[in-house]
Amino acid sequence: MRTIFDMRCFFPFLSRIVLGLILLNLPVALFAQTVRVQSGDQFGHGLMFRFNDNCFVALPRHVIVKDNPKLTVFTAAPVVHSLAWVTDPFWKDMDLAVAQVRGIVEDRCTRDLDWFAEAHPEANSIGQLMQLSATGESRPTQMQITESGYLTFDARLAQPDAELRQGISGAFLMVGGKPVGMALRMASQTEGIFLRSEEIEMNLRRWLTRRAGLTVTEVPAAPTPAPVPLSRFEVVSAASAPVSPDMSEQNLIGPGRYVFAPDGPNRIVFRTRDGASAPVSGLHLTSDPEAGHALPRRIRVTVSSRRDGRGDRPFLTGEAGPDGILEQSRMATTAVWVFVTVLDSWDAGSVGIDEIAFD
C-alpha cells in the first residue's frame, strides 16, 4: 500500500512555522532604535532618530535629573554606550525632551525623524511596547490601545494576568513596526498613558529646524580667554559604562573624572580628531588617590595606523602606582587609533581616572 503525501496539507503547517520565525525576529529587526537612558541615578527609555546627519534621542522630560544636561545612552545588545546632551525646550506641561548623541552609539542610529509621523494610533490597535534590560535584551510587551485622544492615548496589556514592568517611561509602542507613542507613566499595573508620535515629531522638527537655523550676530562685550588647546585625540568609546553620566569617559580629555565599575578589562578607545596619523611616544595617566575611588593598576596600550582601527599592535604596558600616576615613554610611532585597556585596579570598588594624555 502506497502512502501519498499531499503538499496542500503541509502548506498551512509550514506557513505557521515561517510566520513564527518572522515574529520571533521582529524585535531585533524593527526595534533596534530603542535605547536605555541614564540621568544621574535614574533610568528610562528613549528612541533614536537622525536629523540633519546628527543622532538624537526622544525621551520624557521627567526622567531627567533637574539641571543636569548629561545622559548616558545604552543600545540593545551587543551593548555600547555614549554620552548625550539633553534639552527640554517645550512648554512645561509637555513631558518631552531631546538629547543629542555623540560617539559610538551614532553608528546604530539609522531611522529618520519622519518615522515618527508615519503611524497614527487608532483605538483597538495592538502593538509591542519595547523596553531594554540592563544587558540589552529587548523586552516586547503586547498592548492594545483603548482610548485615543488628541495629545495622548491609553493602552492596556493584551495578555491576561500580565503586569507592566517598572521603568516604562520613554518606551515606545510599536504598531506595524512604526512608533505610535511614547510611554509617559503607568496608570495602573496593566495600563499606560502615551504621548502621540505625531505630537513628538511636530515639536521635535520645529525645534531642531529652528536650532539648525540659528546664527550668532552679537559682538562679545569683553575678550574671551584663550581656549585650552584640544588634545590631538578624542575619546570614541569605553567598554565599561560610567557609574553616572557626569562621570563619562569623555572627561578623560577635559575637566572631570571617569568613574566605572570594574566588570572586566576596560578598553578605552581614542582616535585622532582629523582621522590622520599622529606621532605617539608615551602615555600619561593620572588618578586622584584622595577622590574616594579605586585606582587603576595594570595598563596595556595598543595602537593602529589603519583608518578602520584594525590590526592594532602592542605599544606599551605599565603599572600605575598607588599615587594614581603612570608615565611611560618609548620610541615614537604613528597612530590613528590608541586603545588603552585598564586590566585591573589596586582596590575593590568603582575605578576613577582623571586624565589620559599622549606624548
Side-chain angles (χ1 to χ4, degrees), residues 214-265:
L214 291 177
T215 57
V216 178
T217 57
E218 296 85 353
V219 177
T224 57
V228 177
L230 287 174
S231 166
R232 293 168 300 165
F233 290 86
E234 61 183 352
V235 181
V236 176
S237 65
S240 297
V243 297
S244 77
D246 286 338
M247 298 180 177
S248 162
E249 61 269 20
Q250 298 296 329
N251 295 341
L252 290 172
I253 56 173
R257 178 177 297 112
Y258 172 38
V259 181
F260 60 93
D263 52 1

Side-chain angles (χ1 to χ4, degrees), residues 89-91 94 96 198-208:
F90 313 104
W91 64 90
M94 188 174 198
L96 177 64
E198 307 105 301
E199 291 298 315
I200 296 173
E201 187 271 342
M202 180 179 67
N203 285 279
L204 287 177
R205 185 177 300 280
R206 182 167 55 192
W207 164 249
L208 294 173

Side-chain angles (χ1 to χ4, degrees), residues 68-84:
N68 190 337
K70 292 183 180 180
L71 288 176
T72 305
V73 176
F74 302 87
T75 68
V79 179
V80 296
H81 70 273
S82 289
L83 193 63

Side-chain angles (χ1 to χ4, degrees), residues 235 237-238 252 258 266-270 338-340 342 353 356:
V235 181
S237 65
L252 290 172
Y258 172 38
N266 184 7
R267 193 185 199 215
I268 309 168
V269 180
F270 297 82
V338 180
F339 307 95
V340 178
V342 181
I353 305 176
I356 291 178

Side-chain angles (χ1 to χ4, degrees), residues 125-129 141-145 158 173-176 180:
S125 297
I126 295 179
Q128 302 285 339
L129 179 68
T141 303
Q142 195 172 70
M143 300 191 75
Q144 182 175 22
I145 297 174
L173 185 67
M174 303 284 187
V175 176
V180 297

Side-chain angles (χ1 to χ4, degrees), residues 30-34 47-49 111-119 174 177-179 197 201 205:
L30 294 176
F31 309 135
Q33 303 306 290
T34 298
L47 198 67
M48 294 191 296
F49 66 93
R111 300 306 298 259
D112 190 83
L113 178 58
D114 292 338
W115 193 33
F116 288 79
E118 292 176 359
M174 303 284 187
K178 298 175 182 178
S197 284
E201 187 271 342
R205 185 177 300 280

